[in-house]
Amino acid sequence: MFPIRRLQHSFFSFACAVFLLGLSLPGQAETPQQILNSYQDAARTQAAGFSASSGRGGEFFRAKHGKDWSCSSCHTNDPTATGKHIVTGKTIQPMAVAANPERLTRPEKVEKWLTRNCKDVVGRECTAAEKADVLAFLIAGK
């Protein structure tokens, strides 16, 4: 009977550790700047010395692309404003970090958002440089 108790204790300890680790993971958000830096580093593998530009990001955000849409078609020209999806009418919270501090804190969410929206708006996946520029624009909030 003693080995069973030891096994139960070990399993309980393991289960507690896994549970606590799971609770800590959602708290592992990154800063918008850290996420921007990762895209900027990826872009530098294509073009040495690349530096993200909020100006280029703003131009990209407002420019019409493949489907005659721009990012601002749904998100408005002002990233600090609330947008509205052009097809569904769904409200979209502000994209700018200054207006919505929860934006750009989860790398996997940022990548999912950029991948989906680039395919919808641009008609292709955006490059790391384009992603970095758009994030620089959203961080600057201009």
Side-chain angles (χ1 to χ4, degrees):
M1 202 151 180
F2 179 73
I4 291 174
R5 282 193 182 169
R6 182 180 298 164
L7 183 61
Q8 287 173 334
H9 176 72
S10 296
F11 178 77
F12 180 74
S13 297
F14 175 75
C16 286
V18 169
F19 176 74
L20 291 174
L21 177 64
L23 287 178
S24 69
L25 289 177
Q28 297 297 321
E30 293 187 36
T31 67
Q33 188 62 49
Q34 288 171 318
I35 296 171
L36 168 59
N37 290 345
S38 69
Y39 284 109
Q40 193 166 242
D41 291 344
R44 286 184 182 133
T45 66
Q46 304 284 310
F50 172 82
S51 183
S53 163
S54 63
R56 279 192 314 262
E59 289 172 16
F60 185 89
F61 192 85
R62 294 181 181 107
K64 292 202 178 209
H65 298 279
K67 297 183 179 180
D68 264 352
W69 285 11
S70 67
C71 301
S72 62
S73 295
C74 296
H75 297 289
T76 80
N77 282 326
D78 177 3
T80 64
T82 299
K84 186 176 185 180
H85 193 278
I86 199 167
V87 175
T88 66
K90 179 183 171 187
T91 299
I92 303 170
Q93 295 304 311
M95 295 303 301
V97 175
N100 187 351
E102 293 179 25
R103 285 288 188 207
L104 311 180
T105 57
R106 300 252 188 264
E108 66 284 350
K109 231 176 154 178
V110 171
E111 180 59 24
K112 179 181 175 183
W113 172 75
L114 288 169
T115 299
R116 182 187 63 229
N117 287 318
C118 285
K119 287 179 181 176
D120 287 348
V121 174
V122 184
R124 62 172 171 78
E125 186 140 347
C126 291
T127 66
E130 289 166 334
K131 292 175 183 181
D133 286 343
V134 168
L135 293 180
F137 169 68
L138 296 175
I139 290 169
K142 297 177 184 176

